[in-house]
């Protein structure tokens, strides 16, 4: 009797458990969780991460002598012409981990979907932009194998020659820009242009113009051919065409965040940049600079001491460290180096200031150079030049309403600093230097390509380079230790992994 009761209880328990199991899998599925992500949001992730790294302040922006710090440690870089791989690694990590990875994901998801062809081609353009920044920074990099770690388990990518990378970039930009079609699905959720096909075409074509000009010294014939093709297409002509990343209180500018937090009192306008704006009576100096008169420390850089008067601005000289800088500020009657001019953290370097990737001003100045060289016809170099200068001055209002340049001041500047054919290339590329302020990677690339502006090499006595200027950034230590075979192959082909080695187009 006892055994029968036990048996009956066991059967009942099994039946109870069995009935509980019914629908168990369905019950434990989150019916409101996303099972897929619209690839336009993945593109948005890539776009938002295309903002420049904080490392550009200590390398690219420092190399072209627009900003400088006298401090060492984590801030070491172009200020001392030394290799600090904690900073040189930043372009690599940001563009490969976010922009290239995510654009490749979008490309893989949409390449076989005719209804998402615009999204597919938008991703190709943004990826080409990311590859251009990355290869211009380092030279030979993974290109064909890039972004395939997740999809094809390519965890040790091979490095491609920069010459072949540029061929790929030019092909992608040419094809993708031409293939964009306003009659097909418009990707309204796109954060760069709201899916506006005409503006994406201008972005792609203007980037193609930039790529063509990059080859001007290494292959002038090919450069002319690419530039002429780009010039026949729709290009950026007004500031509404600009490719810019907007920031807000939730998604702040990386550069603005750095300059408003830990390094707020450590980074200054470099004397070559401030002096050039000052001697040419450039109204942009008032928009860019602020000086805290009498500041004895960072905590004394307060609004009551601030002045944006161009006459009062004094940039920090190059070639000094935290100790030796004292010999310079005493000469100009400062209490401390905290009195040197800075980029204004309440306007152009505020947390919510936008990041500009490619602009109409830059595009028009490149057209001015192409016209001066006779590569394109129909509009004079002077007309392009004047338009480019005007556009950049008008662009400053995008940073902050208080950074706006008055129209009359723009006209006066263009009249007083008129275009001269004899010095045209220097004029054009010096203006490109100004128009690329805060866009470190592009300012650095065009400085190497054009040789302008004419800058005096940083005289810091403890430099770690053999030449006069840094020519590239060094590879990440992680690549050297993990992907060593492919890195060594690239180094053997390109040259030593140091700051002196030139990239392919830098002749």
């Amino acid at each position: 009797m006892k055994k029968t009761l036990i048996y009956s209880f066991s059967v009942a328990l099994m039946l109870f458990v069995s009935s509980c199991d019914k629908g168990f899998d369905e019950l434990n599925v989150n019916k409101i969780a996303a099972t897929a992500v619209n690839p336009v949001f993945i593109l948005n992730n890539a776009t938002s991460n295309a903002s420049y790294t904080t490392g550009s302040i200590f390398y690219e922006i420092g190399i072209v002598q627009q900003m400088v710090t006298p401090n060492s440690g984590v801030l070491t870089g172009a200020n001392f012409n030394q290799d600090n791989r904690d900073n040189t690694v930043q372009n690599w990590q940001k563009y490969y981990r976010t922009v290239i990875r995510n654009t490749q994901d979008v490309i893989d998801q949409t390449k076989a979907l005719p209804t998402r062809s615009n999204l597919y081609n938008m991703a190709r353009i943004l990826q080409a932009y990311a590859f251009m920044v990355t290869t211009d920074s380092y030279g030979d990099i993974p290109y064909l194998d890039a972004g395939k770690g997740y999809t094809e388990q390519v965890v040790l990518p091979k490095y491609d020659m920069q010459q072949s990378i540029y061929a790929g970039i030019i092909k992608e930009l040419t094809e993708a820009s031409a293939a964009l079609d306003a009659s097909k699905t418009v990707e309204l959720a796109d954060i760069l242009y709201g899916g506006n096909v005409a503006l994406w075409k201008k972005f792609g074509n203007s980037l193609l113009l930039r790529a063509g000009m990059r080859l001007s010294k290494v292959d002038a014939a090919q450069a002319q051919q690419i530039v002429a093709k780009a010039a026949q297409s729709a290009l950026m002509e007004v500031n509404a065409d600009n490719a810019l990343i907007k920031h807000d209180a939730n998604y702040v500018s990386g550069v603005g965040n750095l300059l408003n937090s830990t390094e707020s009192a450590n980074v200054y306008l470099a004397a070559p940049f401030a002096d050039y704006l000052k001697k040419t009576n450039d109204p942009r100096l008032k928009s860019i600079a602020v000086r805290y008169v009498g500041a004895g420390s960072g905590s004394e850089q307060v609004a009551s001491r601030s002045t944006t008067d161009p006459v009062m601005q004094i940039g920090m000289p190059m070639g000094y460290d935290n100790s030796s800088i004292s010999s310079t500020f005493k000469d100009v009657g400062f209490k401390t180096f905290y009195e040197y001019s800075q980029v204004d953290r309440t306007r152009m370097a505020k947390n919510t200031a936008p990041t500009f990737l490619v602009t109409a001003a830059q595009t028009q100045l490149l057209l001015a150079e192409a016209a001066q060289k006779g590569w394109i016809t129909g509009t004079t170099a002077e007309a392009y030049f004047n338009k480019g200068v005007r556009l950049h001055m008008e662009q400053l209002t995008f940073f902050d309403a208080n950074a706006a340049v008055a129209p009359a001041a723009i006209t006066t500047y263009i009249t007083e600093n008129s275009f001269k054919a004899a010095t045209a290339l220097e004029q054009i590329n010096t203006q490109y230097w100004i128009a690329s302020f805060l866009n470190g990677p592009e300012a650095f690339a065009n400085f190497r390509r054009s040789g302008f502006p004419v800058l005096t090499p940083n005289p810091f006595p403890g430099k770690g380079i053999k030449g006069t200027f840094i020519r590239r950034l060094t590879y990440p230590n992680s690549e050297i230790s993990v992907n060593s075979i492919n890195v060594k192959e690239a180094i053997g082909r390109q040259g030593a992994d140091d700051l002196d080695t030139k990239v392919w187009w830098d002749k």
Side-chain angles (χ1 to χ4, degrees):
M1 180 69 179
K2 186 176 182 180
K3 289 182 178 179
T4 302
L5 288 172
I6 293 172
Y7 175 77
S8 299
F9 176 77
S10 298
V11 170
L13 181 62
M14 291 173 64
L15 290 172
F16 174 76
V17 171
S18 177
S19 66
C20 288
D21 280 345
K22 291 180 179 180
F24 183 80
D25 290 340
E26 182 180 352
L27 184 66
N28 283 275
V29 172
N30 186 342
K31 295 182 178 180
I32 62 172
T35 57
V37 178
N38 187 329
V40 72
F41 298 127
I42 300 174
L43 180 67
N44 286 345
N45 189 310
T47 301
S48 62
N49 279 288
S51 285
Y52 307 119
T53 67
T54 56
S56 68
I57 295 175
F58 307 116
Y59 271 96
E60 295 101 310
I61 292 175
I63 295 167
V64 300
Q65 301 182 6
Q66 292 177 328
M67 288 198 281
V68 67
T69 175
N71 298 327
S72 57
V74 296
L75 307 187
T76 296
N79 56 342
F80 305 142
N81 277 327
Q82 293 176 1
D83 188 2
N84 178 357
R85 301 204 180 201
D86 288 338
N87 285 328
T88 61
V89 72
Q90 291 191 32
N91 284 351
W92 187 284
Q93 290 182 340
K94 186 161 193 180
Y95 285 97
Y96 273 116
R97 292 179 180 180
T98 57
V99 187
I100 293 170
R101 171 190 168 186
N102 285 315
T103 51
Q104 189 59 48
D105 189 6
V106 177
I107 289 168
D108 290 341
Q109 288 192 48
T110 59
K111 62 184 177 183
L113 299 176
T115 58
R116 305 303 293 273
S117 64
N118 281 332
L119 182 59
Y120 168 65
N121 289 300
M122 289 154 56
R124 293 171 73 189
I125 290 170
L126 186 62
Q127 185 176 85
Y129 171 82
F131 274 126
M132 190 182 298
V133 171
T134 313
T135 189
D136 289 346
S137 297
Y138 304 97
D140 291 4
I141 58 170
Y143 178 68
L144 294 177
D145 283 351
K148 296 181 179 178
Y150 291 89
T151 57
E152 299 179 32
Q153 289 72 57
V154 179
V155 295
L156 299 175
K158 293 182 179 179
Y159 283 52
D160 297 282
M161 295 175 63
Q162 189 178 53
Q163 183 174 3
S164 64
I165 294 169
Y166 255 87
I169 288 171
I170 290 164
K171 176 178 180 294
E172 286 295 287
L173 291 172
T174 302
E175 293 180 356
S177 300
L180 288 166
D181 188 345
S183 69
K184 297 183 179 178
T185 303
V186 176
E187 303 290 344
L188 296 175
D190 154 46
I191 62 171
L192 189 61
Y193 288 122
N196 187 308
V197 168
L199 293 180
W200 269 97
K201 278 181 175 288
K202 289 186 176 184
F203 178 30
N205 292 329
S206 298
L207 199 51
L208 179 63
L209 173 67
R210 179 182 287 185
M213 292 301 294
R214 205 77 96 221
L215 309 186
S216 58
K217 288 185 177 178
V218 71
D219 191 338
Q222 185 187 18
Q224 181 177 357
Q225 182 181 22
I226 296 165
V227 167
K229 182 176 180 62
Q232 293 170 0
S233 307
L235 296 170
M236 293 180 178
E237 294 186 79
V238 295
N239 281 317
D241 298 335
N242 292 340
L244 74 153
I245 299 170
K246 298 177 181 179
H247 297 104
D248 57 27
N250 296 312
Y251 177 65
V252 299
S253 159
V255 170
N257 187 51
L258 181 79
L259 295 180
N260 280 280
S261 55
T262 57
E263 310 309 332
S264 60
N266 294 325
V267 181
Y268 295 82
L269 286 180
F273 186 64
D275 289 350
Y276 184 82
L277 297 179
K278 196 170 182 178
K279 77 177 183 180
T280 56
N281 294 317
D282 195 320
R284 286 171 287 194
L285 183 59
K286 183 176 177 61
S287 301
I288 293 170
V290 65
R291 196 179 136 228
Y292 297 95
V293 179
S297 64
S299 62
E300 292 185 12
Q301 292 179 335
V302 294
S304 60
R305 294 181 181 273
S306 68
T307 177
T308 60
D309 183 351
V311 175
M312 297 291 288
Q313 304 308 316
I314 301 176
M316 180 177 283
M318 303 291 297
Y320 297 90
D321 60 17
N322 193 275
S323 176
S324 61
I325 193 68
S326 61
S327 65
T328 70
F329 63 70
K330 290 178 181 177
D331 291 341
V332 290
F334 290 176
K335 292 169 56 179
T336 64
F337 70 73
Y338 296 102
E339 287 195 67
Y340 280 114
S341 298
Q342 295 178 294
V343 58
D344 194 336
R345 300 190 296 273
T346 68
R347 295 179 296 162
M348 287 190 68
K350 64 183 181 182
N351 282 340
T352 56
T355 296
F356 291 87
L357 308 182
V358 181
T359 68
Q362 292 169 326
T363 301
Q364 295 301 309
L365 289 169
L366 290 178
L367 289 171
E369 181 176 346
Q372 182 64 24
K373 290 180 174 179
W375 291 359
I376 58 175
T377 58
T379 302
T380 66
E382 181 176 5
Y384 283 128
F385 173 81
N386 290 341
K387 186 173 182 179
V389 173
R390 183 176 294 276
L391 281 167
H392 183 251
M393 291 191 179
E394 293 172 345
Q395 179 188 319
L396 299 189
T397 192
F398 283 70
F399 288 98
D400 190 273
N402 291 324
V405 180
I410 298 175
T411 300
T412 298
Y413 177 83
I414 292 174
T415 301
E416 293 179 351
N417 298 272
S418 59
F419 181 83
K420 296 178 178 60
T423 57
L425 295 183
E426 180 176 359
Q427 277 187 290
I428 292 166
N429 286 288
T430 299
Q431 286 297 327
Y432 198 94
W433 174 59
I434 301 170
S436 300
F437 180 62
L438 297 181
N439 183 339
E442 184 57 21
F444 178 40
N446 199 67
F447 170 65
R448 287 175 288 166
R449 178 195 71 83
S450 69
F452 298 113
V454 176
L455 299 172
T456 301
N458 181 351
F460 186 75
K463 70 176 185 177
I465 60 174
K466 302 179 185 69
T468 53
F469 288 93
I470 293 172
R471 309 308 297 192
R472 66 179 282 274
L473 305 185
T474 50
Y475 291 131
N477 286 331
S478 58
E479 279 292 292
I480 294 170
S481 61
V482 175
N483 196 14
S484 57
I485 293 176
N486 291 318
V487 175
K488 288 178 180 176
E489 181 184 359
I491 292 171
R493 182 174 61 229
Q494 177 173 259
D497 181 30
D498 58 30
L499 302 173
D500 284 291
T501 295
K502 293 183 176 184
V503 300
W504 166 69
W505 52 254
D506 182 13
K507 301 296 182 183

